[in-house]
Amino acid sequence: MPIYTCTAAQGSLTSEVKALLAAEITRIHVDINHVPPAYVNVVFSELPADSVFAGGQPATPLILTGWVRRGHPQEEATRLALELSSAIVRISGMDESRTMVVLQDGPARSAVEGGRILPEPGEEKEWLRRTGAA
Amino acid sequence: MPIYTCTAAQGSLTSEVKALLAAEITRIHVDINHVPPAYVNVVFSELPADSVFAGGQPATPLILTGWVRRGHPQEEATRLALELSSAIVRISGMDESRTMVVLQDGPARSAVEGGRILPEPGEEKEWLRRTGAA
Amino acid sequence: MPIYTCTAAQGSLTSEVKALLAAEITRIHVDINHVPPAYVNVVFSELPADSVFAGGQPATPLILTGWVRRGHPQEEATRLALELSSAIVRISGMDESRTMVVLQDGPARSAVEGGRILPEPGEEKEWLRRTGAA
């Protein structure tokens, strides 16, 4: 259900680090938001060195943005963002000051996965039961 | 006014399929949200195979995210998401289980196209009349 | 704190123009939203010619999307979008009709930078003081 996009300058992340990040982002999301792992999407967008800036200067940040369904309790979204931040620092080895995590929310009823409108937060079990996935 | 971004692993989509997807996404959006076709933007972001994951494993999903103005009735946003989902399955030939559509909303007054603040949903005709486009 | 993503067809923007755009987007954001320049991220996503469409046809738009913390007064978000629009037209030399700016907002408490939850709009000074950055 969520879509995580990790943006970095080309050369910042090896294939191995990307795989480790994807696995850990998935694990954390499953743990906090209670969806099966298969529903967690993670993609990496790596951009040329002349295409990434901070403070108006060339930079090499690691930016993780995630789309999640609106309606999760704010304290859980905050905890999710903090745990994801710790994970990307730990796994990438980048200085924490260069990392950022942003969770954007949108209405579950404006999203479709596998042909079906997503469930509201808290209604996942019934939704999964009807898909035959739970 | 909307911006659709279609994310897939490299090699999943031919140029022809991308053109067909762009045309159909545009047609559906015009039909449901009543804006002239020229205002519908569609871009494709194709990522290397080692950069796309689902469930923490390499994967080849087709993810369509769209930015739309906040304030459309929810039932129309839901219908739009469902019709877009059907279209991308039909045109790409991908298994439905690998597809996802997410519509994110934002304030029309926080968006500018062609130098002008976007109209609220429902106020398109007057806005277009003043641009000389209608 | 904000993340700006500028999307264009490959070949639309030189490295020099990208650097100028990043500097001016940063300057405008700092001026209106009162955060230190180092916290303004700008990235460029340049896509192949067969991957960018408007009105269902191949096109060469310049689309700037920004993520900002929710809670800024709407009139300031509108002014920010308008000033960014003027800047990208002026610097890129593109026809205004091909340009678009969209500001998406999300909860500050769902975002983490440098390991710390972002401040609500208006609480930046205290937050920066505690980071030692102000």
Side-chain angles (χ1 to χ4, degrees):
Chain A
M1 305 182 187
I3 305 166
Y4 286 101
T5 303
C6 197
T7 302
Q10 278 170 7
S12 301
L13 304 170
T14 65
S15 289
E16 190 188 357
V17 164
K18 288 190 276 188
L20 290 169
L21 284 168
E24 185 67 359
I25 290 166
T26 300
R27 190 193 65 74
I28 291 169
H29 188 93
V30 166
D31 186 47
I32 294 182
N33 273 15
H34 310 296
V35 301
Y39 289 91
V40 182
N41 301 283
V42 181
V43 306
F44 293 85
S45 173
E46 295 167 284
L47 302 167
D50 75 344
S51 296
V52 187
F53 297 84
Q57 302 293 324
T60 53
L62 182 60
I63 300 172
L64 178 65
T65 58
W67 177 87
V68 298
R69 291 167 294 145
R70 195 171 288 163
H72 293 286
Q74 180 60 55
E75 57 268 35
E76 282 183 26
T78 298
R79 183 159 70 92
L80 179 56
L82 283 167
E83 290 201 16
L84 290 168
S85 172
S86 295
I88 66 174
V89 171
R90 183 174 69 246
I91 292 169
S92 71
M94 280 197 191
D95 191 88
E96 190 175 59
S97 66
R98 288 159 56 200
T99 64
M100 185 164 185
V101 174
V102 169
L103 301 179
Q104 294 181 283
D105 57 8
R109 296 194 66 73
S110 297
V112 174
E113 189 162 10
R116 298 180 57 219
I117 291 288
L118 289 186
E120 298 293 331
E123 299 178 1
E124 293 86 357
K125 274 191 190 164
E126 169 67 9
W127 189 88
L128 290 165
R129 195 181 58 73
R130 279 183 287 137
T131 65
Chain B
M1 305 182 187
I3 305 166
Y4 286 101
T5 303
C6 197
T7 302
Q10 279 170 6
S12 301
L13 305 170
T14 65
S15 289
E16 190 189 355
V17 165
K18 289 190 276 187
L20 289 168
L21 284 168
E24 186 66 358
I25 291 166
T26 300
R27 190 194 66 74
I28 292 169
H29 188 92
V30 166
D31 186 46
I32 295 182
N33 272 16
H34 310 296
V35 300
Y39 289 91
V40 182
N41 301 283
V42 181
V43 305
F44 292 85
S45 173
E46 294 166 284
L47 302 167
D50 75 344
S51 296
V52 187
F53 298 83
Q57 300 295 324
T60 53
L62 181 59
I63 301 171
L64 178 64
T65 58
W67 177 88
V68 298
R69 290 167 293 145
R70 195 171 288 162
H72 293 284
Q74 181 60 54
E75 58 266 37
E76 283 184 25
T78 298
R79 185 159 68 92
L80 179 57
L82 281 167
E83 291 200 17
L84 291 169
S85 172
S86 296
I88 67 174
V89 171
R90 184 174 69 247
I91 293 170
S92 72
M94 281 197 190
D95 192 88
E96 190 175 57
S97 66
R98 288 158 57 201
T99 62
M100 185 165 187
V101 174
V102 169
L103 302 180
Q104 296 182 282
D105 57 8
R109 296 195 64 74
S110 297
V112 174
E113 189 162 9
R116 297 180 58 218
I117 290 290
L118 289 185
E120 298 293 331
E123 300 179 359
E124 294 85 357
K125 274 191 190 164
E126 169 67 11
W127 189 87
L128 290 164
R129 195 180 57 72
R130 278 185 286 137
T131 65
Chain C
M1 305 183 187
I3 304 166
Y4 286 101
T5 303
C6 198
T7 301
Q10 279 170 6
S12 301
L13 305 170
T14 64
S15 289
E16 190 188 356
V17 165
K18 289 190 275 187
L20 289 169
L21 284 168
E24 186 66 358
I25 290 166
T26 301
R27 190 194 66 74
I28 291 169
H29 189 92
V30 165
D31 185 46
I32 295 182
N33 273 15
H34 309 297
V35 301
Y39 289 91
V40 181
N41 300 283
V42 181
V43 306
F44 292 85
S45 174
E46 293 165 285
L47 302 167
D50 76 343
S51 296
V52 187
F53 297 84
Q57 301 294 324
T60 53
L62 181 61
I63 300 172
L64 178 65
T65 58
W67 177 88
V68 297
R69 290 166 294 146
R70 195 170 288 161
H72 292 284
Q74 182 59 55
E75 57 267 37
E76 282 184 26
T78 298
R79 185 158 68 93
L80 179 57
L82 283 167
E83 290 201 16
L84 291 168
S85 172
S86 295
I88 66 175
V89 172
R90 184 175 67 245
I91 292 169
S92 71
M94 282 197 190
D95 192 87
E96 190 174 59
S97 66
R98 288 158 57 201
T99 63
M100 184 165 186
V101 175
V102 168
L103 302 179
Q104 296 181 281
D105 57 8
R109 296 195 65 73
S110 296
V112 173
E113 189 162 9
R116 299 179 57 217
I117 292 289
L118 289 186
E120 299 293 333
E123 300 179 359
E124 293 86 356
K125 273 191 190 166
E126 169 67 10
W127 189 87
L128 291 165
R129 196 180 57 74
R130 279 185 286 135
T131 65

